Amino acid sequence: MNEPRPLALVTGASRGIGAAVARALAPTHDLLLGGRDAAALEKLAAELPGSRPWAVELTDPEATAAAVEGIERLDVLVHSAGVGMLGTVAETPPETWRRQFDVNVVAVAELTRLLLPALRAADGDVVLVNSGSGLVARAGWGSYAASKFALRAFGDALRAEEPALRVISVHPGRVDTDMQRDVVAHEGGEYDGSRFLRPESVAAAVLAGVTASPDAHLTEIVVRPRG
């Protein structure tokens, strides 16, 4: 009898880094494709054997709790969903701070909490797709960077509390995604995706973390564009 393949849940899988991570894991893992765009998830699932859509609004605790029912063992949890809302401290209203932390931190913490029994059963991996802004805060990026610093702190705490799990924080520089187009537009620049990392390059870093030999724990991976 064939052994079942390991199971991975990837949030933000409908596009960008999340979709690239799903494609990178598909050859070796069964997949739950998390996101809000059910049609996009269905389309990706049709491309990846062993995957299925897992559409849920992660900022809704009750919907999230219902969605994780029945997941008894989880080998990999990749948190790729997030928002990036920019602005100076002077111009950022409290609603932006709350939204940024709700999506980038609170939803991550709650989904992880709910899935801890399944992760413990597999001695699993938790991957936090963070940002260079989780290491250095720049002018105009205050609320976003604060949420990513908080995400890094969450990862550090989880790593200390759950020694059987591997908790991997991935800090990419700028990536060629729809979110990056919005950032460049906000900055008033002309978009040139060739200057940025490809989503597949970030996915390769995630794959390196989860496929590292059992004795190795890649706690932080920093990926920057060349040049």
Side-chain angles (χ1 to χ4, degrees):
M1 180 181 296
N2 292 332
E3 289 289 325
R5 299 205 309 169
L7 177 65
L9 192 164
V10 181
T11 72
S14 60
R15 61 180 184 167
I17 294 172
V21 169
R23 290 189 173 96
L25 291 173
T28 53
H29 291 70
D30 288 337
L31 294 167
L32 296 174
L33 304 174
R36 293 180 299 173
D37 187 338
L41 297 175
E42 290 278 3
K43 182 178 179 181
L44 182 59
E47 299 175 23
L48 305 177
S51 68
R52 62 184 176 90
W54 193 78
V56 61
E57 172 53 69
L58 293 174
T59 59
D60 182 337
E62 292 184 358
T64 304
V68 302
E69 288 183 3
I71 303 176
E72 297 181 354
R73 180 185 175 93
L74 184 64
D75 297 271
V76 180
L77 171 59
V78 180
H79 292 285
S80 186
V83 294
M85 304 158 70
L86 306 186
T88 65
V89 171
E91 67 190 12
T92 303
E95 293 78 13
T96 297
W97 287 89
R98 292 190 183 102
R99 174 65 177 167
Q100 206 116 242
F101 271 77
D102 199 21
V103 175
N104 294 349
V105 185
V106 178
V108 171
E110 178 60 2
L111 180 60
T112 304
R113 185 186 72 84
L114 291 169
L115 287 170
L116 273 177
L119 288 160
R120 289 168 179 156
D123 288 342
D125 296 335
V126 179
V127 181
L128 307 171
V129 179
N130 199 300
S131 168
S133 293
L135 300 170
V136 178
R138 296 184 291 139
W141 295 64
S143 63
Y144 176 70
S147 73
K148 291 300 187 176
F149 268 68
L151 182 63
R152 179 159 60 99
F154 167 75
D156 290 346
L158 181 65
R159 192 180 300 116
E161 293 170 1
E162 301 287 338
L165 305 183
R166 294 193 298 192
V167 181
I168 304 158
S169 289
V170 180
H171 295 268
R174 292 192 167 199
V175 185
D176 182 15
T177 61
D178 292 340
M179 178 178 163
Q180 196 61 233
R181 290 182 180 275
D182 293 340
V183 169
V184 172
H186 175 84
E187 295 172 333
E190 184 174 338
Y191 192 82
D192 178 5
S194 67
R195 296 188 294 119
F196 307 134
L197 288 165
R198 295 179 302 117
E200 292 79 10
S201 299
V202 182
V206 172
L207 187 64
V210 303
T211 59
S213 55
D215 62 306
H217 188 167
L218 280 64
T219 56
E220 289 194 353
I221 304 174
V222 179
V223 189
R224 294 283 182 268
R226 291 184 67 177

